[in-house]
Amino acid sequence: MSQESGATADPSEAKRRLLAELLNKKKTVSKPDVPSITQQMEKPSLEEGAQQLSDQFAWLEGMGQANPYFRTLEGIPTPVIYSEGREIINYANYNYLGLCGDQRVTDAAKNALDKYGTSVSASRIASGERTLHQRLESQVANLIGQEDALALVGGFTTNASVIGHICGPQDLIIYDSYIHRSALEGACLAGSRSIPFPHNNLVALEDLLSEHRQKYRQCLVIVEGLYSMDGDIVDLPKVIELKSRFNALLFVDEAHSLGVLGASGRGITEHFNVNPKEIDLWMGTFSKTLASCGGAIAGRHEIIRYLRYSTPGFVYSVGLSPANAAATLTAITLMLKEPERVRRLQHNSQLFWNLCREAGLNTGPCEGYAVVPVIVGSPEKSIAISNALFEKGINVQPIFYPAVAKNEARIRFFITSEHTEEQIYSTISSLTDCIGNTD
């Protein structure tokens, strides 16, 4: 009998091979199943996409449900808005501190229109600076404790353009699997090796850094302060420790945590009492807490100066409109001058979250800061509950696959400082009734 048949194989060698196979199998199985960036960014063709949407509309019609999206609403996005003359309690916007609609913010925007016009009409590098932009960037940097900041025309633009610009094929991007789509777009633009880690699983992040960091020129770790789908918070001190140990760059998206976390609303660093300069690149938006439109990136002076002269979404795009810049500036001033807004927001959020839990509702890993999801399971149920609540005078949107996992469809509430306790209690009562009627 030949040696190839295995009859004369060394038993110890066979044992070693079996042990190696078992260890490899165990290692493979233990790795969480997280879609790669290629899987997350898969797109249908134009015709396929249009047909898929038509099929979804037919699915809604077959269920006898109205389309819960693009409802026509009137009025300033406060806790009370109007639909066809009917008063609606509103939980579907990010006006966290009630500054959108504040007369002082509105007046600042009007004054900027009179002084500067409706547009700066070109990119800032081409047309020259406005003192309004310079004051805004200085105020943003001071607010979050960085040396310098750069304002861009949109939050999505900020993430996509900056991330796509600062990384390349020689680099590694490791990102939380729940990161915003704008950051995913930036990673695709960069052409870097991009690896997700399971949401808020910092053991997995450490394993990825240990395995891959040394193979690449630079490594960018991307996390959010407050995650907008689940309402949970990143363990920032631990992420800072990991990025320092593995010589990585840390990019923190605070689109939803600015104005929400921390005693004065300064965000995730104030919440954890850590040095903001431990973050290499801070990103925030003006369209949520700050009652305007636009985005900003902040960090060391030398880094921001480089981005000011080279970021495509800044260099080749029109500058932020005067009205938006002035509104943002005034909103920052008011947030710091009136910290009771932040306290009211945090009180209202915790109240809503605790009432949900007392009612036996599934809020997932939410920590009760402005964003409170109620997980109901199926898309059909989330749509039915959203429509039923709207009939009761409550505006809240359903979220389902592919935005969240297939079995984790939800309705997502955004709480503000301006919601009243009466509105919150009555909403929880209506919510439990609607959920009960769909079971």
Side-chain angles (χ1 to χ4, degrees):
M1 186 176 289
S2 68
Q3 237 184 355
E4 284 76 4
S5 68
T8 60
D10 181 357
S12 61
E13 178 63 24
K15 287 180 181 179
R16 281 195 294 271
R17 288 179 180 175
L18 178 59
L19 179 60
E21 288 175 6
L22 289 172
L23 288 173
N24 287 334
K25 184 177 181 181
K26 183 179 180 181
K27 188 175 182 180
T28 301
V29 170
S30 67
K31 288 184 178 179
D33 183 17
V34 178
S36 68
I37 193 168
T38 304
Q39 293 170 315
Q40 289 179 289
M41 300 292 286
E42 284 180 354
K43 302 173 186 177
S45 70
L46 179 59
E47 291 296 334
E48 289 170 342
Q51 183 58 53
Q52 287 173 10
L53 186 60
S54 296
D55 292 343
Q56 288 176 331
F57 282 129
W59 170 65
L60 274 175
E61 187 176 349
M63 289 196 301
Q65 291 290 342
N67 180 4
Y69 303 107
F70 294 101
R71 290 170 175 147
T72 301
L73 304 168
E74 303 294 340
I76 295 169
T78 62
V80 175
I81 53 174
Y82 298 89
S83 175
E84 299 179 349
R86 188 167 64 109
E87 190 174 280
I88 305 289
I89 301 175
N90 187 27
Y91 294 97
N93 64 62
Y94 316 128
N95 190 12
Y96 292 133
L97 298 183
L99 291 169
C100 180
D102 186 288
Q103 193 59 50
R104 294 165 293 181
V105 176
T106 303
D107 287 344
K110 288 178 179 178
N111 292 336
L113 287 170
D114 290 336
K115 185 173 182 179
Y116 297 102
T118 56
S119 171
V120 296
S121 299
S123 67
R124 288 163 58 186
I125 198 169
S127 65
E129 283 285 62
R130 307 295 192 280
T131 56
L132 189 60
H133 290 137
Q134 294 172 334
R135 286 192 288 122
L136 172 60
E137 289 167 346
S138 176
Q139 183 79 304
V140 168
N142 289 336
L143 172 68
I144 50 99
Q146 291 283 4
E147 291 180 7
D148 202 355
L150 182 66
L152 291 85
V153 292
F156 194 104
T157 302
T158 302
N159 269 349
S161 192
V162 170
I163 295 169
H165 176 55
I166 63 176
C167 293
Q170 298 168 280
D171 301 322
L172 173 66
I173 297 175
I174 303 179
Y175 61 93
D176 189 290
S177 60
Y178 283 13
I179 206 73
H180 193 265
R181 177 67 180 235
S182 55
L184 294 179
E185 295 281 355
C188 284
L189 283 172
S192 306
R193 171 80 185 279
S194 298
I195 309 174
F197 64 91
H199 177 53
N200 265 343
N201 185 336
L202 301 189
V203 173
L205 172 59
E206 182 175 7
D207 288 345
L208 288 171
L209 286 166
S210 179
E211 181 179 357
H212 297 288
R213 170 62 188 102
Q214 71 278 7
K215 304 172 188 176
Y216 296 89
R217 179 184 63 173
Q218 62 182 2
C219 174
L220 184 68
V221 175
I222 310 176
V223 297
E224 293 185 25
L226 175 67
Y227 286 89
S228 62
M229 286 298 172
D230 279 12
D232 54 347
I233 297 169
V234 69
D235 182 351
L236 183 64
K238 178 62 177 177
V239 176
I240 289 173
E241 186 274 320
L242 289 174
K243 80 99 182 180
S244 299
R245 186 174 4 133
F246 289 96
N247 188 30
L249 297 169
L250 176 58
F251 186 111
V252 178
D253 178 335
E254 286 219 75
H256 286 273
S257 49
L258 182 64
V260 172
L261 298 181
S264 62
R266 294 175 189 268
I268 190 76
T269 56
E270 186 178 41
H271 178 82
F272 282 109
N273 192 29
V274 302
N275 183 355
K277 292 181 175 62
E278 297 282 359
I279 296 173
D280 299 286
L281 288 166
W282 174 95
M283 179 269 175
T285 59
F286 303 152
S287 57
K288 299 174 177 64
T289 288
L290 299 181
S292 183
C293 189
I297 194 80
R300 284 187 8 244
H301 173 70
E302 294 82 5
I303 298 296
I304 299 304
R305 182 173 60 183
Y306 166 67
L307 296 178
R308 188 182 304 276
Y309 279 85
S310 60
T311 304
F314 178 81
V315 172
Y316 300 101
S317 175
V318 68
L320 190 66
S321 77
N324 282 322
T328 306
L329 258 172
T330 304
I332 293 172
T333 300
L334 292 175
M335 182 183 81
L336 296 177
K337 184 180 178 182
E338 301 171 0
E340 63 272 14
R341 291 177 180 268
V342 178
R343 289 195 293 270
R344 285 201 311 270
L345 167 63
Q346 293 173 353
H347 168 78
N348 289 345
S349 301
Q350 292 287 312
L351 175 63
F352 192 98
W353 178 52
N354 284 322
L355 289 174
C356 283
R357 294 192 299 165
E358 288 172 10
L361 303 178
N362 180 8
T363 59
C366 174
E367 297 182 46
Y369 290 99
V371 181
V372 181
V374 175
I375 301 170
V376 297
S378 71
E380 294 86 352
K381 190 170 183 178
S382 69
I383 292 169
I385 293 169
S386 174
N387 283 335
L389 285 170
F390 194 71
E391 289 302 311
K392 288 177 175 285
I394 297 168
N395 183 42
V396 60
Q397 294 290 76
I399 306 289
F400 47 87
Y401 181 83
V404 295
K406 288 184 178 180
N407 62 341
E408 293 186 3
R410 64 199 57 194
I411 46 177
R412 184 176 54 160
F413 293 85
F414 294 103
I415 316 301
T416 76
S417 62
E418 307 310 293
H419 281 102
T420 66
E421 289 194 359
E422 180 183 0
Q423 289 169 338
I424 290 170
Y425 277 100
S426 67
T427 296
I428 298 298
S429 177
S430 296
L431 175 60
T432 54
D433 286 346
C434 290
I435 289 177
N437 291 335
T438 59
D439 286 339

